[in-house]
Amino acid sequence: AAAEKLDFEDAARLRDLLGNMRSMQARQYVDGKVAELDVLACAMQGSQACVLLLAFRDGRNLGTRAFHPRTNGSDDPAEVLAAFVSQHYAEQTPPREIVLDRAIEDVALLEQAFSESTGRRVQIKTSVRGDRARYVDLARRNAEISLATEMSSQAAQNARAESLREMLGLTTVAQRIECFDISHTMGEATVASCVVFDAAGPVRGQYRRYNIAGIEPGDDYAAMHQALTRRFRKAADARAAEVAAAEAGTDVPAAAEGAGILPDVLLIDGGTGQVAQARAVLDTLGITGICLVGVAKGEARKPGDETLLLPDGRALKPGAASPGLQLVQQVRDEAHRFAITGHRGRRQKARTTSRLEDIPGIGPRRRASLLKHFGGLGGLKAAGAEQIAQVEGVNAALAQRIYATLHGLDPGPGAGHD
């Protein structure tokens, strides 16, 4: 992906990182014997840090993980590494041996705490030879590469955010972007998604899905109107509660805290009709100060050919090379992915439930027993009538009726009764 964007420096870093990881994974055993150890190295640039962890269990190389911990203003790698070690192994079971690329404070205290928590001796080493020394060096170099890649990625994200600011005519860079998308199959199981990005990227803990009901199947405008109303009515109510609390000199109700947060930029995946729905919702609820942007696909639906519909009526076609459009595409694609995932899950659940519910004699308890016994609808469909009859509470006649219904067959005479 980096090479396709002509970012060859970043592509080279990633290539080297992958090469080093393959080299590590090729060496399956340490010292030719069973070993249980973690190798950690810390790299820093300014206030940014990366801790690279290389894990071995039962002598086998399990690969690496890169962590980017908060430094809380520290510029000392040893201090950052010590804080990471104490926190990481408070949550994860430490191995018998932890090898660090530098000395840290309170080694004896940490060894004692880890040994007591695991019931066996845990050693922390900072001076090693042989394979371990080579792994320390490899972890250190990969920590530097991972940190450089992370910082390059963040710099690129900042550049895209600045480009979007200029494109939309904002006075400051957007600190919160929300995007809405609709997904369904021929009107079935309609789901709306809302994804959230801040200056650093996606904020997945604040993503939301809305199951849409009470509309004509396939009416995307009504679906968008319903999802946006549900999202922004809570914000409007929370804002009203904040104003009332301020006037009365009382505390803001707990339910309203944080609910009034609004995006700086609201992206709508769609054309003028969808944007009109969004504008109507915001106007009705009295919400202002949001930059509303429609993202309309080109005729060929080719990435980079999108048209941005701006609040003042302008239609921009920034082109594939625009960093601002690349940010819009990233957010829009994430909203699309999140909507499709939710739709597929809802559709499958609805189909599974409805097929079994349509069979006389199948109530919630039997339905749950069948799905649990066969591990889901797929396993149930693969089973014969004789196997289905082995489930507790299912006799031969009901088993035959279940099998016939799931395979589109005539259940035969008397199928409506046990």
Side-chain angles (χ1 to χ4, degrees):
E4 288 178 357
K5 294 178 182 177
L6 305 183
D7 190 351
F8 298 116
E9 183 178 352
D10 192 24
R13 288 197 195 96
L14 294 171
R15 177 201 61 202
D16 293 342
L17 178 60
L18 290 171
N20 288 331
M21 291 171 67
R22 292 191 186 101
S23 175
M24 283 192 296
Q25 291 167 345
R27 296 180 62 88
Q28 290 292 321
Y29 293 93
V30 183
D31 293 343
K33 63 182 180 181
V34 172
E36 180 184 327
L37 76 151
D38 285 350
V39 180
L40 295 99
C42 181
M44 288 194 70
Q45 290 188 34
S47 61
Q48 299 279 351
C50 174
V51 175
L52 197 291
L53 186 153
L54 169 58
F56 292 87
R57 296 295 183 271
D58 296 326
R60 185 169 294 276
N61 183 350
L62 301 185
T64 64
R65 285 189 65 189
F67 299 86
H68 298 274
R70 296 183 183 277
T71 61
N72 296 322
S74 174
D75 58 0
D76 182 357
E79 187 176 306
V80 172
L81 183 60
F84 176 85
V85 168
S86 62
Q87 180 176 345
H88 181 73
Y89 293 113
E91 301 171 353
Q92 306 292 331
T93 302
R96 295 180 181 274
E97 184 180 349
I98 301 172
V99 179
L100 307 179
D101 74 325
R102 68 192 70 236
I104 64 173
E105 294 183 354
D106 299 325
V107 167
L109 183 62
L110 290 171
E111 285 181 331
Q112 180 182 353
F114 296 159
S115 298
E116 290 177 355
S117 68
T118 59
R120 52 179 170 75
R121 186 185 181 193
V122 175
Q123 293 180 290
I124 299 176
K125 301 178 180 179
T126 57
S127 179
V128 291
R129 298 179 180 179
D131 277 345
R132 284 165 173 74
R134 286 189 286 272
Y135 286 127
V136 167
D137 183 60
L138 190 55
R140 183 184 295 116
R141 288 190 283 116
N142 281 335
E144 293 170 354
I145 292 172
S146 182
L147 178 59
T149 301
E150 176 72 11
M151 293 185 69
S152 174
S153 175
Q154 187 59 54
Q157 185 77 4
N158 292 341
R160 288 192 289 268
E162 175 60 23
S163 174
L164 182 65
R165 183 198 67 77
E166 295 179 356
M167 184 189 308
L168 300 181
L170 304 176
T171 55
T172 59
V173 170
Q175 297 301 307
R176 183 183 178 92
I177 301 173
E178 294 185 14
C179 182
F180 280 75
D181 189 22
I182 305 294
S183 181
H184 59 79
T185 300
M186 302 294 289
E188 177 188 4
T190 302
V191 171
S193 70
C194 172
V195 300
V196 180
F197 277 58
D198 64 11
V203 187
R204 293 184 173 83
Q206 297 184 26
Y207 285 14
R208 294 291 181 269
R209 289 194 184 102
Y210 302 90
N211 291 331
I212 305 301
I215 66 170
E216 288 294 323
D219 188 345
D220 287 355
Y221 292 164
M224 182 65 75
H225 192 281
Q226 182 179 134
L228 291 167
T229 299
R230 289 164 63 180
R231 157 64 179 101
F232 289 105
R233 178 178 290 142
K234 288 184 177 180
D237 291 344
R239 291 271 174 115
E242 292 173 359
V243 171
E247 292 176 348
T250 59
D251 293 334
V252 177
E257 290 185 359
I261 297 175
L262 297 175
D264 300 306
V265 175
L266 174 60
L267 300 178
I268 302 297
D269 186 22
T272 54
Q274 293 286 39
V275 173
Q277 294 297 324
R279 174 54 61 199
V281 169
L282 296 179
D283 289 346
T284 299
L285 296 174
I287 293 177
T288 60
I290 296 177
C291 180
L292 175 62
V293 181
V295 186
K297 300 179 181 67
E299 292 184 5
R301 305 178 72 86
K302 180 180 178 181
D305 196 34
E306 293 89 349
T307 298
L308 302 184
L309 307 175
L310 303 189
D312 59 9
R314 287 181 297 150
L316 300 182
K317 290 182 70 69
S322 166
L325 181 60
Q326 291 168 11
L327 176 56
V328 169
Q329 290 171 326
Q330 179 187 7
V331 181
R332 187 273 317 275
D333 291 348
E334 178 69 352
H336 188 58
R337 178 201 65 79
F338 194 56
I340 288 178
T341 302
H343 158 64
R344 287 173 177 169
R346 186 185 181 194
R347 182 184 63 188
Q348 184 60 35
K349 181 179 179 180
R351 289 180 177 178
T352 300
T353 302
S354 63
R355 285 187 182 183
L356 294 179
E357 284 184 342
D358 289 343
I359 302 172
I362 297 292
R365 183 172 298 178
R366 280 179 175 167
R367 183 168 65 249
S369 296
L370 287 163
L371 294 176
K372 181 178 180 180
H373 184 89
F374 292 104
L377 184 64
L380 178 58
K381 287 185 65 176
E386 297 81 3
Q387 295 172 291
I388 298 174
Q390 295 174 8
V391 177
E392 183 179 357
V394 179
N395 59 30
L398 180 56
Q400 183 60 48
R401 189 156 65 245
I402 293 170
Y403 180 85
T405 300
L406 293 178
H407 292 81
L409 306 176
D410 182 1
H417 307 280
D418 284 336

